[in-house]
Amino acid sequence: MLRALRRCRPGPVPLPALAAALGPAPAPGLCPGWSPRAVPARGRKSRHDPPAKSKAGRVKLPPPVDPEELLVVLERYRQHRLVLSALRAEFRAEVLQKKREERLAEGSLEELEEHRRLMAWNEEENARQQARREERVRKEKEEQKRRRLEIAEKQARKMEAFVEEKEKEVLQLQEEAKNFITPENLEARIEECLDNPRNYNFAIDKDGRIVRRTVLS
C-alpha cells in the first residue's frame, strides 16, 4: 500500500479520465452525488471474505465476570422483577375494581338489588359454613381428648400389671431364697446330701420311665 501511495502524485485530474472512472451519470430521481460504480476509498470486507492474517489465530474470549458482583446483580434484578410484578398486579386490581364500580354505577336498580341479595346470601352461607366448621373442630377436639384419656388409662393399666408381675417375681425369689445355701447352713446341707445320696446315672424309655440304673458304690 505504501508503494501505491508513493506512486500517487497530487495534481490536476483530467475531466475525461474522471468521467471514465466514475462511469455514467446517475439515474434520474436518485441522489446526484451517488453512482453505483463509485467505490469508496477504503473498501469494506464482505461476510464471505476470510479473516485477516494478523487475526487468524485470535480467540475471542468473553469479558471476565466477578462472581460476587454477578450474584449481587442477579439478586437486584430478581427484586426489581418482583417489585414490577407486584406493581402491575396492584394496578391491574385497581383498574378492574374501577371498571366493576363503573359497571355497577351504570347498571340498573335491579342489578344493584340483585347484587345486594347475592351478597347477603353469601354472608349467610359463610356464617353457616363457619358454624359447621366450628362444630366439626369442637368434635375433633373432643375425640382427641377422649383418645388421649384412653391411651393414658391403657398405659396406667399396663404399668399396674407390670408392677404386679414384678412384685410376684420378688415374692417368688424371696421364697426360693429360703432354700439357698449360705455360709451358716453349709455344713448342714453337706451332711444332708451325704445322708441322702441320689443317683442320677440312669436310662429312660420313650415314656420317661426309668429302665436301668447303676448301683452307687
Side-chain angles (χ1 to χ4, degrees):
M1 182 179 291
L2 293 176
R3 294 177 181 176
L5 291 175
R6 290 194 188 97
R7 286 198 298 269
C8 295
R9 293 290 186 270
V13 181
L15 291 179
L18 182 60
L22 295 177
L30 298 177
C31 179
W34 179 87
S35 175
R37 299 184 64 179
V39 182
R42 296 183 61 187
R44 298 294 181 182
K45 292 175 60 175
S46 65
R47 65 179 62 184
H48 305 291
D49 294 338
K53 294 182 179 179
S54 61
K55 298 182 180 180
R58 187 184 65 166
V59 179
K60 298 179 68 176
L61 297 176
V65 179
D66 188 5
E68 297 181 358
E69 182 179 358
L70 179 61
L71 291 177
V72 173
V73 172
L74 292 177
E75 179 63 20
R76 289 181 180 178
Y77 272 124
R78 188 185 67 82
Q79 295 178 1
H80 175 69
R81 288 193 296 270
L82 289 177
V83 171
L84 284 183
S85 61
L87 290 176
R88 291 194 189 101
E90 184 69 20
F91 293 155
R92 190 180 299 111
E94 290 181 2
V95 171
L96 292 177
Q97 182 67 20
K98 289 181 180 179
K99 288 183 178 180
R100 191 180 301 108
E101 291 176 357
E102 291 176 357
R103 187 170 61 253
L104 291 175
E106 294 176 358
S108 61
L109 296 176
E110 295 179 357
E111 293 180 354
L112 294 175
E113 185 64 25
E114 181 71 14
H115 177 71
R116 294 193 188 95
R117 187 178 63 80
L118 291 175
M119 291 300 295
W121 176 83
N122 189 18
E123 292 178 359
E124 292 177 0
E125 187 68 16
N126 289 338
R128 188 175 66 84
Q129 293 294 337
Q130 183 179 0
R132 291 180 56 187
R133 183 167 57 254
E134 292 177 354
E135 182 67 18
R136 184 179 69 252
V137 171
R138 185 182 62 80
K139 290 182 179 179
E140 290 178 355
K141 289 183 178 180
E142 292 179 354
E143 183 68 18
Q144 291 178 359
K145 184 177 180 181
R146 185 182 61 80
R147 289 180 181 178
R148 286 197 295 268
L149 290 176
E150 289 180 356
I151 293 173
E153 292 177 357
K154 188 175 180 180
Q155 291 180 352
R157 288 195 297 269
K158 285 184 178 181
M159 184 58 66
E160 290 178 359
F162 179 76
V163 171
E164 291 179 358
E165 183 179 358
K166 293 303 177 182
E167 288 178 355
K168 289 180 180 179
E169 291 180 359
V170 170
L171 294 175
Q172 184 178 0
L173 288 174
Q174 289 177 357
E175 291 293 332
E176 293 176 356
K178 295 179 181 179
N179 299 324
F180 288 172
I181 297 176
T182 60
E184 291 77 9
N185 60 2
L186 180 60
E187 296 293 336
R189 296 300 295 272
I190 291 175
E191 291 178 0
E192 183 181 355
C193 291
L194 292 176
D195 295 339
N196 301 317
R198 293 185 181 183
N199 185 11
Y200 295 98
N201 190 11
F202 54 83
I204 60 175
D205 58 4
K206 294 182 179 180
D207 297 331
R209 293 173 296 184
I210 298 174
V211 296
R212 188 175 57 185
R213 187 192 298 269
T214 60
V215 180
L216 293 175
S217 57

